[in-house]
Amino acid sequence: MIIHKKKTQTGPRYKILMIVSELAPFAQISTYAQSVVHISAALVALGHDVRIVMPRYYNIDRTDMKKHRDPIGVFLGETEQWCTLYHAVLPQTDIPVYLLDHEQFFGRNGLYGPQPGVAYDDNAQRFTFFCSAVFQLCRALQWIPDIMHSHDWATGLVNVFLYTKEEDTDFSETASVFSVHNIDQQGIFDNEDFVYTSLSKDDLYISKMEKDGKLNFLHGALAQADMITAASAGYAKEICTKELGAGLDILLKSRSSDLVGVLNGIDYRLWNPAKDKFLLPISFSEKDLKNKIKAKKLLQKELNLLQDAKLPIIIMHGDFSHKQRAFDLLFGDSNAKLYDICEKLKVQFIISGKFNPVYEEELTRLQDIRSNFRLYQDFDEAKLHLLFAGADFLLLPNEYEPFCATQIYSLRYGTLPIVHNSGCMGETVVNFAADATGATGFIFNEMTQACIFDTVSTAVSLYYNNPKSILAMQKQAMMQRFGWEESAKDYLLVYQSALDRRQGRLERTWGDDDENAMENTQDHQTAPMEQKPSEAPSD
């Protein structure tokens, strides 16, 4: 999984601690668990000292890990807890991964609960312990980072502790960066759980951990972090709105000068149709797309669809296990516009991924009555690559999207995205508007059945009536690059801004939930909000 091997050094060399509650391949539920792997490797390739810390959950095998000689003591309320430190290495890299082993808190099935949608009752205690232990880990290693970069609510208290009990310690010049990947997951607990932080009541007020009479780990992190990042410029703007801010929009508006969007990337060594091990010998590139037709026929054969290269294939791929308004619009009791697309347009339609049982029932029914529709559940990595290679269009009608790599994969394989203008979509897809010049996909602005259907119809009509424009768009799409090195460079600018704020060289804001807080969301000039794609030569 190593992404960059060659190390280059420009500017200061930072010591960066990535603080995560999940990490691929050790334990993963969220997509950020994979993103942290890539961004860490990209930062190391740029010459920085990156290390990662996470809990040692029950399912993580310790057999080949090194055990630290001494246990680590952590004050949790009025008691002192002890944990064991294990040392591993991120596979195919030399990046250290430290795992904190506490049998009572983490020696159980599941990361946040025994099953999806069910949380453990003691999560406040578990992750307060983890955030406190992070500082003791650094002391045990005699390694104080320049940057503590934490991710999502479970690591949020690291940012609070830096400005409270660690304010005047050996961490006094350590800056904090907090990445919000999912603003809906906030870590909300009863106020009684505040005792585990070992902080005073004054600290409860100062840290702004309290929100609506409850402890809110995410609220505290967003108020206290020196810099805040979101997974795209679009998502950074969206979470500052009442509609998509999950109750934290006013706080985020007040911190808009410290909030930036850093667009994640993909690994183009793994996603390259010219050298894709899963496609050989039918690989192709933007210089010659003939084998894309062979990939289409192979996909049609795989799913027992009519093998006709002239028929456009539309795919949807993702995690549809949770009910979402976007898919309610498509699926509904009568299959809504998805049925209309399959019935009224001369297309083949494939949906793959994880499914909510309600959706799965509807999709199975649609497959029974429409010969041009397939539900693709039994697929592996090789078939996923074939899916992107063989399709003509990707439909992503997500109502909001922090960051989604799916449309970037599809661009690389010449499969044109049809997307809702949310999150990172406007940063990664160039909309077709009567002229294919520079366009790489189709964007619709309203989340309605009519708008989805009309945009799909426009794409299909262009496919049949102007194939030269489709070919030009495919070639343009395949030339786009959204790589991890550029993301890493943007994070370095964020880190410098965080250090400037922490060490007093630049004024920072403090979170404010007052209704009279700043109403204008600024342009986030402290670090680049937008990552422009670059046209790259063929691999």
Side-chain angles (χ1 to χ4, degrees), residues 21-276:
S21 56
E22 49 188 279
L23 179 73
F26 299 95
Q28 176 178 359
I29 293 177
S30 308
T31 55
Y32 94 75
Q34 185 69 56
S35 298
V36 170
V37 172
H38 289 288
I39 197 62
S40 297
L43 287 165
V44 167
L46 292 175
H48 300 277
D49 180 1
V50 181
R51 309 184 188 190
I52 306 173
V53 59
M54 68 178 297
R56 204 292 295 187
Y57 299 106
Y58 177 75
N59 67 306
I60 300 176
D61 186 6
R62 299 172 293 188
T63 305
D64 296 325
M65 295 181 185
K66 294 181 180 179
K67 182 178 179 181
H68 198 272
R69 182 185 62 184
D70 300 319
I72 294 176
V74 179
F75 279 102
L76 194 67
E78 297 180 354
T79 67
E80 186 174 19
Q81 299 284 332
W82 295 86
C83 64
T84 303
L85 171 61
Y86 286 92
H87 179 190
V89 176
L90 198 62
Q92 300 184 42
T93 78
D94 56 359
I95 299 173
V97 178
Y98 302 111
L99 298 100
L100 299 173
D101 189 17
H102 188 286
E103 186 67 24
Q104 177 186 343
F105 293 148
F106 303 117
R108 58 182 87 169
N109 291 319
L111 277 61
Y112 312 107
Q115 60 190 46
V118 179
Y120 285 121
D121 292 337
D122 61 346
N123 273 348
Q125 188 176 3
R126 296 172 74 221
F127 290 105
T128 298
F129 168 82
F130 172 64
C131 292
S132 297
V134 165
F135 294 91
Q136 299 303 95
L137 161 73
C138 295
R139 292 187 173 102
L141 298 174
Q142 297 183 352
W143 183 83
I144 305 300
D146 301 307
I147 301 292
M148 300 183 89
H149 187 166
S150 53
H151 298 261
D152 269 0
W153 74 266
T155 67
L157 292 195
V158 168
N159 306 273
V160 172
F161 292 155
L162 268 177
Y163 273 104
T164 51
K165 60 185 180 182
E166 300 291 350
E167 173 75 13
D168 298 317
T169 68
D170 36 5
F171 293 90
S172 61
E173 293 193 350
T174 298
S176 64
V177 173
F178 181 76
S179 290
V180 52
H181 301 276
N182 185 346
I183 200 165
D184 291 317
Q185 300 295 321
Q186 298 184 8
I188 300 174
F189 306 102
D190 291 334
N191 269 346
E192 288 76 9
D193 290 322
F194 181 74
V195 68
Y196 299 121
T197 65
S198 302
L199 298 176
S200 68
K201 290 294 184 181
D202 287 342
D203 288 327
L204 174 61
Y205 173 77
I206 294 170
S207 67
K208 301 187 185 298
M209 280 182 63
E210 190 174 34
K211 167 71 173 172
D212 299 330
K214 294 279 190 177
L215 285 187
N216 187 311
F217 281 31
L218 182 61
H219 192 275
L222 295 175
Q224 296 295 305
D226 292 300
M227 289 291 292
I228 305 165
T229 76
S232 69
Y235 189 56
K237 293 176 181 177
E238 287 173 352
I239 59 179
C240 289
T241 67
K242 185 175 182 179
E243 293 76 16
L244 297 175
L248 303 180
D249 53 294
I250 297 174
L251 169 66
L252 286 163
K253 284 180 184 179
S254 73
R255 297 222 58 199
S256 60
S257 61
D258 306 320
L259 167 64
V260 301
V262 179
L263 186 65
N264 290 336
I266 67 169
D267 185 352
Y268 284 98
R269 303 201 316 171
L270 297 177
W271 295 92
N272 179 2
K275 299 179 180 180
D276 193 325

